[in-house]
Amino acid sequence: MNIGIFDSGIGGMTLLHQAMITLPKENFIFYADTDHVPYGTKTKEQVIGFVDEVMQFMIAHNCKAVVIACNTATSVAAEIMREKYEIPIIGIEPAVKPAVEQSAGKRVMVVATPLTIQEEKLKNLVKKVDDAHLVDLLALPRLVSFAEQGEFDTPQVEEYLREKLSSFSMEEYGELVLGCTHFNYFKNSFRKLLPPHVRMIDGSTGTVNQLKRILESRGQLEENEGNVRYFASGREWTKGQDLKRIEMLHKRLEYMRSV
Ligand code: DGL
């Protein structure tokens, strides 16, 4: 059987990349909902509808578990999908708790999409762990379109981030939480703008470890060929140029692991 991993776009490959390292013998279906990207500027109802379609696709493609590799989709749709479908659904969330624990009293900046930031789920999570009121939230929607256009190391990206961070005194921060899977592609640009002591953290490793634990506890870990099939809103990526793009993105994600 397969493990389904999906996002609105290429951001979810952050999680797929980690999953291929942790579970190299599993077969994966990766689904980027490119017809509907970005999710982060849509309504909650629209995103719930898109996620439901993806879930049906995953079930039709023999998935034993589905990972929502999209913080935005998790925040609005994970609970609803868990009520509707029987297979395990694991959703990535901004790593606010570990960030607050590690920040040693310094401030924590959470960057995410506008929808993730306005939703109750993140607000409740922050309320639960942020007794000292150290957490700030910042929406960075343009990073999603930059990533989808394949624009990573341009002056425009750096200018956008510089402008967005300019109203914060970043010296006061200890952690930057990457609360959108598209943002991992820009770790090097963040690094240039952040003081050296600020650490970047995201939820992919924790989510993949949770996936592994759940499959283990259900006796569903498998020794397969480690195949990955890639789909863009249901259409399989098979052309040479698509496969080249996938390879380039995996290379970039491998490089980002060292940033
Ligand atoms: N990558 C997604 C996330 O983690 C959302 C990007 C978008 O579609 O706005 O939130």
Side-chain angles (χ1 to χ4, degrees):
M1 293 185 87
N2 299 307
I3 296 171
I5 297 184
F6 81 92
D7 179 35
S8 58
I10 58 166
M13 281 183 60
T14 309
L15 203 131
L16 170 69
H17 193 82
Q18 182 62 43
M20 289 163 72
I21 293 169
T22 308
L23 299 165
K25 300 273 176 167
E26 296 286 345
N27 290 341
F28 296 98
I29 301 270
F30 178 73
Y31 187 118
D33 194 8
T34 50
D35 287 357
H36 301 122
V37 67
Y39 283 180
T41 51
K42 304 249 169 21
T43 66
K44 188 174 169 164
E45 291 69 27
Q46 281 175 308
V47 175
I48 293 169
F50 302 147
V51 173
D52 200 9
E53 261 178 56
V54 182
M55 282 303 303
Q56 287 172 31
F57 178 93
M58 294 299 195
I59 285 164
H61 284 75
N62 201 26
C63 287
K64 59 186 168 185
V66 172
V67 182
I68 306 180
C70 173
N71 296 265
T72 311
T74 300
S75 74
V76 299
E79 294 302 332
I80 298 169
M81 297 302 135
R82 285 190 191 114
E83 275 166 29
K84 185 162 178 188
Y85 299 101
E86 275 175 13
I87 59 170
I89 299 171
I90 298 105
I92 191 167
E93 284 187 81
V96 181
K97 188 167 183 268
V100 169
E101 284 165 6
Q102 287 166 35
S103 74
K106 282 190 159 286
R107 300 197 69 78
V108 171
M109 173 73 77
V110 182
V111 288
T113 67
L115 190 54
T116 302
I117 284 181
Q118 92 196 24
E119 270 307 300
E120 283 305 300
K121 193 159 170 100
L122 180 60
K123 289 190 188 135
N124 291 340
L125 176 63
V126 172
K127 223 185 268 165
K128 211 157 85 187
V129 299
D130 185 25
D131 295 338
H133 303 292
L134 294 172
V135 176
D136 291 307
L137 308 177
L138 174 65
L140 295 175
R142 269 190 75 194
L143 285 190
V144 177
S145 38
F146 280 132
E148 290 298 321
Q149 287 155 14
E151 192 175 335
F152 297 115
D153 295 315
T154 62
Q156 286 79 357
V157 168
E158 207 174 307
E159 195 37 50
Y160 174 65
L161 287 179
R162 191 183 302 283
E163 199 251 304
K164 286 290 186 181
L165 295 175
S166 63
S167 46
F168 300 93
S169 159
M170 292 312 294
E171 283 298 332
E172 293 171 20
Y173 289 80
E175 305 282 326
L176 176 78
V177 178
L178 301 173
C180 168
T181 49
H182 280 79
F183 296 178
N184 286 57
Y185 290 105
F186 301 97
K187 280 174 84 178
N188 59 337
S189 300
F190 279 113
R191 191 69 281 163
K192 273 196 220 159
L193 299 171
L194 295 173
H197 70 268
V198 180
R199 279 181 299 235
M200 285 178 272
I201 178 167
D202 72 276
S204 17
T205 310
T207 308
V208 169
N209 291 342
Q210 197 193 345
L211 165 70
K212 187 178 177 192
R213 273 195 304 273
I214 289 175
L215 291 178
E216 219 158 34
S217 71
R218 296 167 64 94
Q220 282 187 316
L221 284 176
E222 286 177 67
E223 298 268 314
N224 291 320
E225 308 79 31
N227 288 336
V228 188
R229 291 175 69 192
Y230 296 86
F231 293 85
S233 298
R235 301 172 299 276
E236 189 157 12
W237 272 330
T238 50
K239 285 199 230 108
Q241 71 195 51
D242 295 331
L243 302 177
K244 261 212 185 110
R245 180 170 177 229
I246 288 164
E247 194 186 320
M248 184 279 285
L249 293 171
H250 275 297
K251 270 202 189 124
R252 186 168 179 91
L253 289 169
E254 193 49 40
Y255 159 47
M256 290 303 141
R257 281 162 59 83
S258 64
V259 175

